[in-house]
Amino acid sequence: MSAQTYLAYDYPLLSVFWSMLLFFLWIMWFVLLFRVIVDIFRDDDMSGWAKAGWLAFTILLPFLGIFVYVIARGKNMGRREISQARAQQEAFDAHIREAAGAQERPSSIDELAKLSDIRARGDITDEEFRRAKELVLTDYGTPSR
């Protein structure tokens, strides 16, 4: 056993702090890298060649490319993200309104017409028709009588 074994007390607290800081900065840089790449593809105002140029710059010279992109175009990154979030929320709200509108309750006129048809076929009596009509009119906020 000629190799030296390191124990926990051989690694000082300040070294742990610096190791954790470097690890945190490394993770944050990857987060920033992916946000920049997403922003490059999200921007509709940029031409395809400009997108290809920024993407090549961030891939070939990653640290410099990310920092230059954030300095040059970082101000509008948040605005583009907010506009995309608003567009997604509007699409979601429209979908909910459409789904809720499809399951609307039929109007009292429609229900009364159906009741009248049922009574005309002889499936219910006049007394049952009167009670059902009162229920329909009461459910829709119209007083019975």
Side-chain angles (χ1 to χ4, degrees), residues 105-118:
R105 208 170 140 183
S107 68
S108 60
I109 296 171
D110 294 335
E111 293 210 10
L112 288 174
K114 289 178 186 175
L115 279 173
S116 179
D117 290 341
I118 293 171

Side-chain angles (χ1 to χ4, degrees), residues 22-131:
L22 288 175
F23 182 71
F24 175 75
L25 290 174
W26 185 67
I27 296 296
M28 289 305 297
W29 184 82
F30 272 109
V31 169
L32 187 60
L33 172 70
F34 291 124
R35 287 199 57 185
V36 165
I37 290 173
V38 166
D39 189 64
I40 289 171
F41 287 107
R42 178 186 296 150
D43 192 4
D44 292 333
D45 297 333
M46 200 180 333
S47 71
W49 286 107
K51 288 180 184 183
W54 276 113
L55 192 61
F57 189 38
T58 57
I59 289 174
L60 296 177
L61 299 170
F63 289 109
L64 184 63
I66 296 299
F67 292 131
V68 170
Y69 186 86
V70 169
I71 290 169
R73 302 183 49 83
K75 184 177 181 181
N76 293 327
M77 281 177 70
R79 291 183 183 140
R80 284 187 289 274
E81 189 170 344
I82 288 171
S83 67
Q84 183 193 21
R86 282 188 183 140
Q88 285 179 340
Q89 185 65 39
E90 288 171 4
F92 178 73
D93 291 344
H95 175 70
I96 295 297
R97 278 194 296 277
E98 179 183 322
Q103 297 178 2
E104 278 185 9
R105 208 170 140 183
S107 68
S108 60
I109 296 171
D110 294 335
E111 293 210 10
L112 288 174
K114 289 178 186 175
L115 279 173
S116 179
D117 290 341
I118 293 171
R119 184 181 67 170
R121 286 193 313 248
D123 293 339
I124 59 173
T125 65
D126 287 338
E127 180 60 29
E128 290 171 329
F129 173 76
R130 187 187 61 76
R131 278 187 276 146

